[in-house]
C-alpha cells in the first residue's frame, strides 16, 4: 500500500511538470522506474 501511494504521488507530481512515471517490472528480477523532465535554464543569483 505504501509503495502504491508513493508511486501515485510521484506520478501526479511528474504530470504537473509535463512528464510521467515509466515502470518496467519483471517477475523475479525487480522493477525499474524512470521519467524525463525538460528543465529551463536557471537564473543567476
Amino acid at each position: 500500500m505504501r509503495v502504491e501511494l508513493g508511486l501515485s504521488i510521484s506520478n501526479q507530481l511528474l504530470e504537473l511538470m509535463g512528464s510521467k512515471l515509466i515502470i518496467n517490472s519483471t517477475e523475479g528480477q525487480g522493477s525499474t522506474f524512470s521519467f524525463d523532465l525538460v528543465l529551463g535554464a536557471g537564473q543567476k543569483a
Side-chain angles (χ1 to χ4, degrees):
M1 171 84 176
R2 289 182 181 174
V3 172
E4 293 173 9
L5 179 60
L7 291 175
S8 176
I9 292 169
S10 297
N11 198 42
Q12 289 176 13
L13 289 171
L14 287 167
E15 285 179 0
L16 289 172
M17 295 184 280
S19 187
K20 64 180 178 178
L21 188 62
I22 301 164
I23 304 169
N24 292 307
S25 183
T26 304
E27 188 174 340
Q29 293 186 4
S31 302
T32 59
F33 305 88
S34 60
F35 58 90
D36 293 319
L37 283 180
V38 177
L39 304 173
Q43 297 179 359
K44 288 186 177 185

